Amino acid sequence: MHVERVQVDGGFLDKLDIHFKPGLNVLIGARGTGKTSLIELIRFGLGAEAFTQDAAIRGNQQAKSVLQGGQVIITLRDGEDRWIVTRDERDEWPRSERPIPSVMVLAQSEIEAVGAQARGRLELIDRFRPDRAETDRRLNQNIATLRSLTSEIGGILAERSSILEQILRLKGVREENSNILAQQQDLLESIEATADQRKDVERLQHFAATLSVREGIYDRTLEKLRGSHEDLLKIEGGVREIEEWPSSAGETDLLTKVREKGIEASASLKKALGVIKDAGLEIDSLKRRNSVDRENAEERARTIRRELNELDVGAGELTRRANDLAERVAQLGVLEELEGDRLEKIAVLQKKRRLVFENVEKDRVTQFESRRDVATALKELLGPELRTKVIESGMTDEYTSILMSAFRGSRLHYNTLAPQIANQMSPLELVEAVESNNVQAVTEAVEIDSNRAASVTAHLQSRNLSDLISAPIDDAVDLFLLDGVDYKKTDNLSIGQRCTVVLPFLLSSHGELLVIDQPEDHLDNAFITGTLIESLRARSKDSQFIFASHNANIPVLGEADLVVRLDSDGRRGFVQHSGILSEQETAQAITSLMEGGAEAFKRRAKFYESVLEVESG
């Protein structure tokens, strides 16, 4: 895949139209003519990620500033297939009829950042992985499932917690009920209550318990319906209205079917909201009927209590207390069943989640093996000066960062505790310990005292465990440069040395689009004319590089397939010339801009020739 054409509609580069070629394309021009702006427009237009947050912010701002309300239009080509990607400053993402392949765009400061940052070094290796798309897609899908299952478990745990609180409030009610029933039995015998009276008391107490259980069921059901209604309202509020088809886009509205689908989706949501509302009304009706039944039952109970009070003062109050306790015992039984049901659901979901987590671990092993193979292949390709080492699951920084964020607001010393946990417990182990309040598991794994472990589990129970379960634990990559007789990690190298490590990796990835703003920055000419130029000359036919440069060695010795000279009148940047290297106008553009003019070039050449002849003589 390569960029065939870039057009700009509006802003500083308005009416810019460049047809790029496969191979090496070099943008030249004085400062302020739009080279960097064009690089950032390509990044913006294709939605390419930046290696640093600072580069992402500055690049996005520059692209929007250059467009000034306009848009960038990029034509991509893959074999005989062509498609167009467009984006204006209002678009959150590029608009494309098909997925946009991975593109690497690097601003001036980003090359050395690739070598300095762990994520950048990993991305450098991943560019060579043949299985990357499929493995990463499967991994991301499994991680999304982990988040969903953990969120579902969290919801059920919250329900169970509420149920347990209600059960706790009913603690001792069975024993109290047994005592009151025994007292009621003795009393009814002592006052010689009739058989019918005894049956009425028993029947009404049983019926009151049944009505109480029903009321609890109705209340819980109504609460769930309200929650579902609120969730659907949020979804309905997120459905965006599709814009009208403007006449400037043609007479035929090509979005008619899409708009119909949008209307159909909105109608389905409204219908679902209506169904839930009707269900709520049905519950309200059942609650009213239950209230009437309770009033009737209570009226009958009052009549019986009056009859019993005539036989013995206090008998009616005793049966009333027995009635209340019967209701509470019935409620307790239902709550215990609900709590058991929630435990079973949690166990099923946790088992399912463990299987998904196992698949995630398998995918990560596959990733590691693929990266290790890449490192081995690069050793042969790049020679002895550069070395690569892949450490399995060696990058826990993001997991640690998520833990630190989760612990903020607690009294825990999270700066030391978070890395300790990240190194000793996998996200799944930690989440399961928190969900089950398994303080001992945290104590033993992290080697901290039980009080501190209890604080950890208690605090994390109030946090979003979906973020924890999906915390990325990725492989770490170290890059080394032979400096004298020792290999040094890029962490310990100068900016220029980091660039000399990173660029050979970037240029060795054949078949991908690489866009760099001034790759020669921080490099000496010896490296440029040696390593960099040799890599450019060895490029494959299906590679495409788009470089903005001020160094003549890159287009000339790199045998550029296209040289584009940009110029500006102060208000607008434009293409002054676009042509192949062998064209006279191209050579004139290179010498005037990059060599100080033809005369300066000749004088330098004459000077070097005379000095070198004297030395050789």
Side-chain angles (χ1 to χ4, degrees), residues 18-76:
I18 300 176
H19 291 260
F20 288 102
K21 295 179 178 293
L24 176 60
N25 300 262
V26 182
L27 306 173
I28 65 174
R31 299 190 185 278
T33 55
K35 300 186 302 300
T36 296
S37 295
L38 180 55
I39 296 291
E40 292 301 343
L41 282 180
I42 293 174
R43 188 206 299 268
F44 179 78
L46 297 178
E49 294 184 1
F51 274 95
T52 67
Q53 186 176 10
D54 181 59
I57 293 171
R58 285 190 291 105
N60 191 269
Q61 289 174 343
Q62 181 167 1
K64 291 182 177 181
S65 174
V66 170
L67 286 175
Q68 296 175 13
Q71 67 174 343
V72 58
I73 305 149
I74 300 175
T75 303
L76 298 177

Side-chain angles (χ1 to χ4, degrees), residues 255-272:
L255 291 179
T256 299
K257 290 185 178 180
V258 176
R259 194 173 288 103
E260 288 173 354
K261 293 293 183 184
I263 293 171
E264 184 181 340
S266 295
S268 297
L269 283 170
K270 283 184 171 61
K271 183 178 179 181

Side-chain angles (χ1 to χ4, degrees), residues 208-347:
T210 300
L211 294 175
S212 178
V213 168
R214 288 178 184 174
E215 185 174 359
I217 293 171
Y218 297 154
D219 287 341
R220 287 189 293 272
T221 303
L222 191 59
E223 184 179 354
K224 285 185 176 293
L225 287 173
R226 285 170 179 163
S228 298
H229 193 269
E230 289 175 4
D231 290 343
L232 283 175
L233 279 176
K234 291 177 184 176
I235 296 173
E236 185 188 34
V239 175
R240 308 296 175 86
E241 184 178 350
I242 298 171
E243 65 184 78
E244 294 297 322
W245 186 262
S247 58
S248 58
E251 294 182 4
T252 304
D253 184 352
L254 300 179
L255 291 179
T256 299
K257 290 185 178 180
V258 176
R259 194 173 288 103
E260 288 173 354
K261 293 293 183 184
I263 293 171
E264 184 181 340
S266 295
S268 297
L269 283 170
K270 283 184 171 61
K271 183 178 179 181
L273 285 166
V275 170
I276 289 178
K277 184 178 179 181
D278 290 343
L281 292 174
E282 179 63 26
I283 291 293
D284 287 337
S285 175
L286 290 171
K287 283 173 65 68
R288 286 193 296 272
R289 189 185 310 165
N290 203 64
S291 295
V292 171
D293 289 342
R294 284 181 73 95
E295 289 174 7
N296 293 335
E298 179 58 28
E299 179 61 32
R300 177 58 184 153
R302 281 195 293 269
T303 301
I304 294 175
R305 286 198 293 270
R306 283 196 297 269
E307 292 175 359
L308 294 175
N309 273 332
E310 290 177 1
L311 298 175
D312 187 291
V313 176
E317 175 60 21
L318 186 65
T319 57
R320 187 194 63 76
R321 286 174 55 202
N323 204 62
D324 291 343
L325 284 169
E327 291 185 17
R328 296 174 70 190
V329 168
Q331 291 169 2
L332 177 60
V334 172
L335 289 171
E336 288 173 339
E337 287 182 13
L338 284 174
E339 196 264 339
D341 175 70
R342 297 302 182 270
L343 276 177
E344 288 180 10
K345 286 184 177 179
I346 290 168

Side-chain angles (χ1 to χ4, degrees), residues 145-193:
T145 303
L146 281 180
R147 290 185 64 90
S148 177
L149 288 170
T150 302
S151 178
E152 189 175 354
I153 291 169
I156 298 174
L157 281 169
E159 286 183 31
R160 179 173 177 258
S161 178
S162 175
I163 291 168
L164 286 173
E165 287 180 6
Q166 296 175 66
I167 290 174
L168 186 62
R169 288 197 292 269
L170 295 172
K171 183 180 180 181
V173 72
R174 283 198 177 93
E175 183 179 354
E176 189 178 353
N177 183 58
S178 296
N179 292 334
I180 203 75
L181 285 177
Q183 293 177 37
Q184 178 180 265
Q185 180 69 23
D186 292 343
L187 178 64
L188 292 176
E189 289 179 359
S190 67
I191 63 175
E192 297 181 352

Side-chain angles (χ1 to χ4, degrees), residues 397-525:
D397 293 358
E398 291 183 55
Y399 181 24
T400 302
S401 178
I402 290 171
L403 281 169
M404 291 176 70
S405 296
F407 286 136
R408 285 194 177 95
S410 70
R411 295 184 178 181
L412 296 164
H413 298 292
Y414 54 80
N415 284 329
T416 55
L417 183 60
Q420 199 173 347
I421 293 174
N423 289 327
Q424 299 297 329
M425 298 188 79
S426 73
L428 178 65
E429 290 170 337
L430 179 59
V431 166
E432 286 193 339
V434 171
E435 288 173 345
S436 60
N437 198 30
N438 191 342
V439 174
Q440 185 177 355
V442 178
T443 301
E444 293 175 355
V446 189
E447 297 180 351
I448 55 177
D449 64 69
S450 58
N451 290 333
R452 202 174 181 205
S455 297
V456 167
T457 56
H459 189 77
L460 290 180
Q461 281 168 358
S462 63
R463 293 296 184 263
N464 184 359
L465 296 182
S466 294
D467 289 340
L468 272 182
I469 197 73
S470 59
I473 299 180
D474 224 325
D475 301 324
V477 172
D478 287 333
L479 303 179
F480 300 85
L481 174 68
L482 182 61
D483 187 15
V485 295
D486 297 321
Y487 282 96
K488 293 183 179 179
K489 290 173 62 173
T490 50
D491 296 344
N492 303 320
L493 297 176
S494 67
I495 292 176
Q497 286 177 313
R498 283 187 198 136
C499 293
T500 63
V501 173
V502 171
L503 275 170
F505 282 90
L506 294 173
L507 298 173
S508 297
S509 181
H510 299 308
E512 289 193 11
L513 172 59
L514 178 64
V515 184
I516 304 181
D517 189 8
Q518 298 182 42
E520 70 271 14
D521 278 8
H522 309 298
L523 301 177
D524 55 58
N525 272 324

Side-chain angles (χ1 to χ4, degrees), residues 371-409:
R371 288 162 176 162
R372 184 186 56 194
D373 292 343
V374 167
T376 302
L378 285 173
K379 182 179 180 181
E380 300 295 325
L381 182 66
L382 299 176
E385 290 82 10
L386 301 176
R387 280 188 179 177
T388 308
K389 183 179 180 182
V390 183
I391 303 99
E392 187 173 10
S393 302
M395 190 160 50
T396 59
D397 293 358
E398 291 183 55
Y399 181 24
T400 302
S401 178
I402 290 171
L403 281 169
M404 291 176 70
S405 296
F407 286 136
R408 285 194 177 95

Side-chain angles (χ1 to χ4, degrees), residues 133-153:
E134 176 57 26
T135 303
D136 290 3
R137 181 199 62 78
R138 191 171 60 244
L139 180 61
N140 291 333
Q141 193 174 53
N142 282 327
I143 288 174
T145 303
L146 281 180
R147 290 185 64 90
S148 177
L149 288 170
T150 302
S151 178
E152 189 175 354
I153 291 169

